[in-house]
Amino acid sequence: MERPRALPSLRGPAASRRAAIARRSPSPQPSPLATGQPRAQRPVVARCSAQRLRGGGRAAAMASGPRCPVCHQPWVSPRLLPCLHSLCSPCLRRLGTLAEPGRAAARSVLCPVCDAEVSLPPGGVGQLTPDYLALSRGGAAAARASCDLCVDGAAVRRCLTCGADLCHFCCQAHRRQKKTASHTVTELENSKDCNQAGEPLLCPSHPTEELRLFCEQCDQPVCQHCVVGRHRQHPCDFAGNVIHKHGDALRELLKSTQQHMGTLESALSQIDATGSAVHSRAEAVATEICLFASGYVKAIEEHRDRLLKQLEDLKMQKVNLLRLQKAQLQQLLLDMRTGVGFTEHLLASGSDLEILITKGVVASRLAKLNRVAYNTHPSMDDGIQFSPQEKAGQCCGYEVFGAILNKAVDPARCTLHGEDLHSAHQNQLTGFTLLCNDTMGERVERGGEAVQVTITHKDKKDCTVKPTVCDNGDGTYHVSYSPEEPGVYAVCVCVKGQHVQGSPFTVMVKGKFREHQGVFHCCTFCSSGGQKSARCACGGTMPGGYQGCGHGHKGHPGCPHWSCCGQVKKSSECLGGPPSDALQRSLLRTVAL
């Protein structure tokens, strides 16, 4: 883009309006409405009169439009916080900052609307993004409701040269006048270079210049003076040319946030259902306890009351944990709804410049919300059980039975143990142990759980191993099996239909255990009695024609080893293949002394 040639075209409407204002005479002029001229012959009203009419309408609209959520007064320089809530600048300056240990320069405040902790920029409240949408929400409709020339007509178009809103009749008259025939007239909804209150957005650094360009490097709208000044070497383009790229990026973030909202709403629905299940289950257990205790008189009644008290405490514990999780998810959903609502309104009602101005803070907020981790499953279940067979001790001298079992087995907390958990040998019995724990990670010292184990060959889907599960009655289960084919197997261990911790896992089944055919010795020189033809699988040789190894010579492992494969571990599997006849004869002469 050639800036020196393209920029002067931007000065047309704005410069003409400023020149027209400068040339106006201070003496009052008779209003064309009072002269009694025919409507078609009325001249165009000066822009100062139009602005007075529009200013009065906008003031009335702002008086009845949205207000600051803190002071409940009409907006005064509203600023947009990172949480996408807007406050008046005076209200923002009255907020107390929070002290952060170790960061004396950083300042943060609590948003009085959502109670979120937000950080202020280094320059303070003045560097927060201005919220032009807040000013335009209430005053846009009223400011554009009537024609600026005849007052009684509905405004449908705007003259960009005069800055006046025109009805259909006045627009036709505007074009018939010689002085105004060359003016640029556009539809109200197509005025993208102005905010919804009807005024152009001016540059903070150059108050007389409109924001028409966008600096890609600094990510902010600029005017023509900014482009030839401190943004001279920066890539700049017209706002209308870059709005599609930045608007699409916001829409992608909005789509992702909306998907998270659906997930959160589903999670909250599950939590509500689980809470109802907890209440229903608690009522069922209470009825069961009452029926069990009806056969006893005083002792059983006291025992029943004690059990109900325990049940109520357990129910409140679970309900409180569910309420806490629900409150956290509701707050996150509320934050996302705020972000989505603001972004949708920005994309639907904001002009190009308004979208570009607030794009950074909106994208930052939506990206932050999308990074929040949350659990979509209820933190507690309805695992409340009553066992009539459990001994409950003495009550009023009577031995009573019946206890509440609140330690439900949690498959995600169950663990697997065993030395040969990931390795086995063909046709050899091996196994591992399953240890059951509750939701708090504590040991469940009782059996009776439904444990399912499947062992399948990864390469041969029709090759499966039938395991044996032994319930030890103390919360542990021993699983034993004997694979018939070597290879890699997938092992799945499930409790209550859910995988336990570490499941599924793989097991490498090796071939049949290979026994050593040689001797475990220090060297062939010693074990063979000095035979020169004695060989060893370690590959070591001795000078003087010896074909085997000796102490301190080349190839000797330096420690006792097997003569058949060179393994240095005595209780190991032989790694050598079947020995040849010549090697077998030489190994036979290598005897243990």
Side-chain angles (χ1 to χ4, degrees):
M1 179 180 68
E2 297 181 0
R3 300 185 185 90
R5 296 181 181 180
L7 292 178
S9 63
L10 301 176
R11 302 180 55 88
S16 300
R17 289 196 294 272
R18 289 194 296 272
I21 295 174
R23 290 195 301 268
R24 287 197 186 99
S25 174
S27 59
Q29 298 293 332
S31 173
L33 300 177
T35 58
Q37 298 179 4
R39 188 161 188 163
Q41 299 178 6
R42 294 176 186 174
V44 178
V45 181
R47 183 180 178 227
C48 59
S49 301
Q51 287 193 349
R52 283 197 298 270
L53 292 173
R54 187 167 60 255
R58 184 164 58 254
M62 290 303 297
S64 60
R67 299 169 179 247
C68 174
V70 176
C71 63
H72 304 290
Q73 298 297 324
W75 292 109
V76 177
S77 183
R79 298 288 175 170
L80 186 62
L81 292 174
C83 61
L84 304 186
H85 288 116
S86 298
L87 276 76
C88 288
S89 295
C91 296
L92 283 171
R93 293 188 178 93
R94 287 194 293 268
L95 295 179
T97 58
L98 302 176
E100 297 186 14
R103 296 182 61 187
R107 295 197 307 165
S108 59
V109 297
L110 288 179
C111 175
V113 179
C114 66
D115 202 29
E117 182 177 351
V118 295
S119 299
L120 295 178
V125 174
Q127 289 190 355
L128 288 173
T129 303
D131 189 1
Y132 293 104
L133 284 178
L135 292 173
S136 62
R137 288 182 192 122
R144 297 181 179 179
S146 60
C147 177
D148 289 336
L149 299 185
C150 64
V151 181
D152 54 349
V156 294
R157 294 187 180 183
R158 172 180 292 116
C159 178
L160 297 181
T161 306
C162 299
D165 294 342
L166 309 174
C167 63
H168 285 293
F169 181 82
C170 294
C171 182
Q172 295 176 358
H174 207 65
R175 291 177 176 176
R176 286 196 293 267
Q177 298 290 333
K178 289 184 178 181
K179 295 183 179 180
T180 60
S182 61
H183 290 189
T184 302
V185 179
T186 182
E187 299 291 339
L188 284 178
E189 58 269 16
N190 294 333
S191 300
K192 290 291 186 177
D193 58 339
C194 301
N195 62 14
Q196 293 187 359
E199 297 179 353
L201 301 181
L202 302 180
C203 177
S205 303
H206 308 90
T208 61
E209 295 296 330
E210 297 183 26
L211 295 172
R212 302 283 297 278
L213 300 166
F214 185 76
C215 179
E216 294 285 355
Q217 179 172 336
C218 300
D219 198 28
Q220 65 179 15
V222 293
C223 69
Q224 59 180 356
H225 288 339
C226 295
V227 172
V228 299
R230 56 191 180 95
H231 297 271
R232 179 184 299 274
Q233 302 298 331
H234 297 178
C236 298
D237 201 349
F238 288 96
N241 297 337
V242 300
I243 183 60
H244 301 289
K245 178 180 68 175
H246 297 283
D248 291 342
L250 278 180
R251 291 183 182 92
E252 289 298 324
L253 281 173
L254 176 63
K255 182 179 179 181
S256 177
T257 307
Q258 288 171 337
Q259 292 176 352
H260 285 291
M261 286 179 58
T263 305
L264 285 173
E265 290 173 349
S266 177
L268 289 172
S269 177
Q270 293 182 13
I271 291 178
D272 290 336
T274 305
S276 300
V278 169
H279 286 282
S280 300
R281 185 60 181 163
E283 293 174 1
V285 173
T287 303
E288 188 178 351
I289 293 173
C290 292
L291 293 175
F292 171 75
S294 61
Y296 295 89
V297 190
K298 184 178 179 179
I300 301 304
E301 289 178 351
E302 292 184 4
H303 180 52
R304 178 197 59 192
D305 296 337
R306 184 173 60 186
L307 291 176
L308 291 176
K309 179 63 169 60
Q310 294 175 1
L311 175 63
E312 183 67 18
D313 295 341
L314 178 60
K315 182 191 74 174
M316 293 306 301
Q317 178 185 2
K318 290 179 176 288
V319 170
N320 289 337
L321 291 176
L322 289 173
R323 286 176 179 171
L324 176 61
Q325 184 187 13
K326 180 178 179 180
Q328 294 173 348
L329 293 181
Q330 283 179 335
Q331 182 61 45
L332 181 58
L333 179 60
L334 179 61
D335 294 341
M336 287 190 174
R337 281 177 175 167
T338 300
V340 169
F342 183 89
T343 308
E344 288 177 342
H345 179 70
L346 174 65
L347 295 175
S349 304
S351 66
D352 295 348
L353 291 175
E354 290 168 347
I355 295 176
L356 294 174
I357 290 173
T358 56
K359 175 193 71 71
V361 62
V362 174
S364 175
R365 177 59 173 173
L366 294 182
K368 182 178 180 181
L369 291 175
N370 292 338
R371 291 193 301 266
V372 176
Y374 52 86
N375 184 15
T376 59
H377 299 286
S379 58
M380 297 296 296
D381 56 10
D382 58 343
I384 306 176
Q385 298 179 355
F386 175 69
S387 177
Q389 293 81 17
E390 291 285 335
K391 292 184 178 181
Q394 297 288 327
C395 182
C396 296
Y398 293 91
E399 185 177 4
V400 293
F401 293 83
I404 296 176
L405 304 179
N406 59 348
K407 285 190 174 182
V409 175
D410 186 1
R413 298 279 187 170
C414 298
T415 56
L416 300 171
H417 303 274
E419 295 181 358
D420 298 328
L421 188 62
H422 298 283
S423 62
H425 285 88
Q426 182 181 5
N427 295 326
Q428 282 195 353
L429 186 65
T430 185
F432 55 89
T433 302
L434 170 66
L435 179 61
C436 293
N437 297 320
D438 61 2
T439 55
M440 304 301 294
E442 298 179 357
R443 173 81 171 273
V444 177
E445 298 180 351
R446 68 175 186 274
E449 296 295 334
V451 179
Q452 298 177 348
V453 181
T454 59
I455 305 175
T456 307
H457 200 289
K458 279 197 169 184
D459 297 328
K460 303 176 182 179
K461 299 301 181 181
D462 57 343
C463 180
T464 59
V465 179
K466 185 177 181 180
T468 302
V469 180
C470 180
D471 186 357
N472 298 325
D474 57 352
T476 62
Y477 302 83
H478 183 73
V479 181
S480 58
Y481 62 97
S482 178
E484 297 179 356
E485 294 287 339
V488 180
Y489 286 77
V491 182
C492 298
V493 182
C494 298
V495 177
K496 297 180 178 179
Q498 300 181 22
H499 286 277
V500 301
Q501 190 177 133
S503 174
F505 63 93
T506 59
V507 175
M508 180 63 187
V509 178
K510 302 178 182 179
K512 194 172 182 180
F513 190 89
R514 185 178 301 169
E515 300 288 344
H516 289 281
Q517 301 297 322
V519 293
F520 191 75
H521 64 172
C522 61
C523 64
T524 57
F525 181 82
C526 296
S527 61
S528 66
Q531 294 288 333
K532 288 188 175 183
S533 59
R535 299 173 181 268
C536 184
C538 72
T541 59
M542 293 174 58
Y546 286 89
Q547 299 180 18
C549 59
H551 291 290
H553 293 285
K554 180 181 178 181
H556 187 270
C559 61
H561 55 282
W562 286 97
S563 62
C564 54
C565 63
Q567 283 271 68
V568 297
K569 187 176 180 181
K570 188 173 183 179
S571 59
S572 62
E573 184 180 9
C574 183
L575 300 180
S580 62
D581 294 338
L583 182 59
Q584 182 66 29
R585 288 193 298 271
S586 64
L587 290 176
L588 290 177
R589 290 193 294 271
T590 305
V591 296
L593 298 180

